[in-house]
Amino acid sequence: MLDLRRESGGAGTWPSGHGETVCLGAQLARVEMRVAFSALLECVPTLRMAVPAAEVVLRPETRDICGVRYLPAAWDA
């Protein structure tokens, strides 16, 4: 539920992707990523990770966000 009058801050009020407070842009961001990655792989079909998955450097987790810090990529010319 979107409550524009609620006070920000405090436990449970961070706009995460699930639970009581859902980020309104989360679904849009997921769709954008699917479209962007599909287009990228169509343009560069030989795109691949340049390192083994075990060597991918992860970002330190924050309150609700985790992911990769960087992802080395390679492709054939």
Side-chain angles (χ1 to χ4, degrees):
M1 178 172 133
L2 176 62
D3 182 0
L4 299 176
R5 296 170 293 155
R6 76 167 188 201
E7 299 215 7
S8 63
T13 61
W14 187 259
S16 64
H18 59 278
E20 264 183 54
T21 55
V22 177
C23 174
L24 297 176
Q27 289 299 323
L28 176 60
R30 288 182 185 105
V31 170
E32 289 173 339
M33 284 191 301
R34 283 189 202 116
V35 170
F37 289 138
S38 294
L40 179 62
L41 291 173
E42 190 173 312
C43 291
V44 187
T46 60
L47 185 65
R48 65 187 180 283
M49 290 177 33
V51 297
E55 294 179 23
V56 173
V57 178
L58 299 178
R59 289 175 31 168
E61 282 194 44
T62 58
R63 186 172 176 144
D64 286 325
I65 302 170
C66 61
V68 295
R69 179 168 297 220
Y70 56 88
L71 182 60
W75 60 91
D76 300 326

